[in-house]
Amino acid sequence: MSGSGTHSTVSGLLPADTTEDVRERGAGVARQIAVLPVGSFEQHGAYLPLATDTLVACAVAGGIAAAHPVHLLPPLTISCSHEHAAWPGTVSMSAVTLHAVVRDIAESLRRSGVDTLVLVNGHGGNYVLGNVVQESAGSGTRMALFPAAEDWEAALERAGVETSLLTDMHAGEIETSILLHTHPELIRPGYETSDFVVDDRRHLLTLGMSGYTESGVIGRPSKASAEKGEALLAGLTEAFGAYFSLLTEKTLPSAGTGTSAVAESRH
């Protein structure tokens, strides 16, 4: 069963499904999978919106929903952005709260017959999502965290992105490219001249972003393009195919033989 053409959204973010749409899509599938985009509301320099991570997560999740018969959920738009607290507009919740919210969503889905939940994470500071997935073993709910670092690396190579994952940490080539493709109307002037690189960030969790950058940018946004953004999303959609195959198997493979459940994402 193909998911192509079966999802519509409101303003590109909120699923517009009816309950009948969900029932029809779930009929006859081996295992029902829900996809939850998890973003953030944090500074992204002077040219990208506070909702950048949410927009990226929704774009990735939307690509997945267009390619596979999954239940697309509305995004979590506030998460763990404490390292960005020095900039106005940033809002965070505690890791304990985010953990509880995701667990509650998973349990609600399970009660309604959806026993598999994929977290599409758009913010690298959401470390706790890895713990939620880790703890899901034996809970009655299958979970996965997407994309993994390996998925990003493959997508970057496919898209011709010049900046490495290490260097392109925040508001750089990757995020700017995706928004140039999906929401160019939201990008303010200035990304072409905002490159800033600092690869040694070993004290990030202690000092926060302000200990490393005055602008809030770490990366090379000047190298961004809409074409790269389109290719990045296509690469990630393709990478999810392996997750879909794994999650729809009756029995998960033994450790070391399947796709990793814990993944890294962008800040």
Side-chain angles (χ1 to χ4, degrees):
M1 176 179 177
S2 171
S4 179
T6 61
H7 289 268
S8 58
T9 59
V10 178
S11 300
L13 293 178
L14 300 180
D17 287 335
T18 67
T19 189
E20 293 304 318
D21 294 330
V22 176
R23 179 179 287 115
E24 180 180 349
R25 189 180 306 112
V29 298
R31 184 178 295 274
Q32 294 197 49
I33 298 175
V35 175
L36 176 66
V38 183
S40 71
F41 201 71
E42 66 186 34
Q43 70 84 20
H44 277 78
Y47 50 87
L48 294 182
L50 295 163
T52 290
D53 289 342
T54 300
L55 295 169
V56 170
C58 286
V60 174
I64 290 170
H68 300 281
V70 299
H71 179 26
L72 181 62
L73 301 174
L76 296 183
T77 58
I78 294 175
S79 59
C80 303
S81 300
H82 310 281
E83 68 273 26
H84 298 271
W87 283 269
T90 298
V91 181
S92 291
M93 65 172 64
S94 72
V96 172
T97 300
L98 181 57
H99 186 290
V101 168
V102 173
R103 287 292 299 270
D104 281 355
I105 291 171
E107 175 60 21
S108 177
L109 288 164
R110 192 184 64 79
R111 288 196 299 267
S112 66
V114 181
D115 66 353
T116 304
L117 177 61
V118 176
L119 309 177
V120 175
N121 184 29
H123 171 51
N126 291 334
Y127 308 109
V128 70
L129 296 182
N131 297 119
V132 179
V133 175
Q134 179 188 33
E135 294 166 12
S136 68
S139 69
T141 299
R142 285 186 178 182
M143 296 183 70
L145 185 56
F146 182 81
E150 294 85 352
D151 302 315
W152 276 114
E153 291 285 4
L156 264 61
E157 183 177 356
R158 170 176 176 160
V161 170
E162 301 175 50
T163 316
S164 69
L165 278 177
L166 173 65
T167 297
D168 199 72
M169 183 249 192
H170 191 70
E173 184 177 4
I174 296 172
E175 291 179 323
T176 306
S177 290
I178 291 175
L179 262 65
L180 281 170
H181 171 57
T182 59
H183 296 281
E185 74 283 0
L186 299 180
I187 299 180
R188 308 289 179 89
Y191 73 89
E192 304 91 341
T193 57
S194 294
D195 290 8
F196 182 76
V197 173
V198 52
D199 285 348
D200 186 346
R201 304 184 297 269
R202 69 187 71 189
H203 302 299
L204 175 66
L205 297 182
T206 300
L207 300 176
M209 286 283 289
S210 61
Y212 291 94
T213 171
E214 292 184 5
S215 67
V217 177
I218 298 179
R220 296 191 177 101
S222 68
K223 296 182 178 297
S225 72
E227 292 75 19
K228 290 177 181 177
E230 182 178 14
L232 281 166
L233 292 175
L236 292 174
T237 298
E238 181 178 311
F240 185 76
Y243 289 74
F244 186 80
S245 297
L246 174 69
L247 293 170
T248 51
E249 291 182 6
K250 290 185 178 180
T251 303
L252 290 177
S254 300
T257 63
T259 303
S260 172
V262 179
E264 298 178 9
S265 293
R266 312 301 307 137
H267 269 264

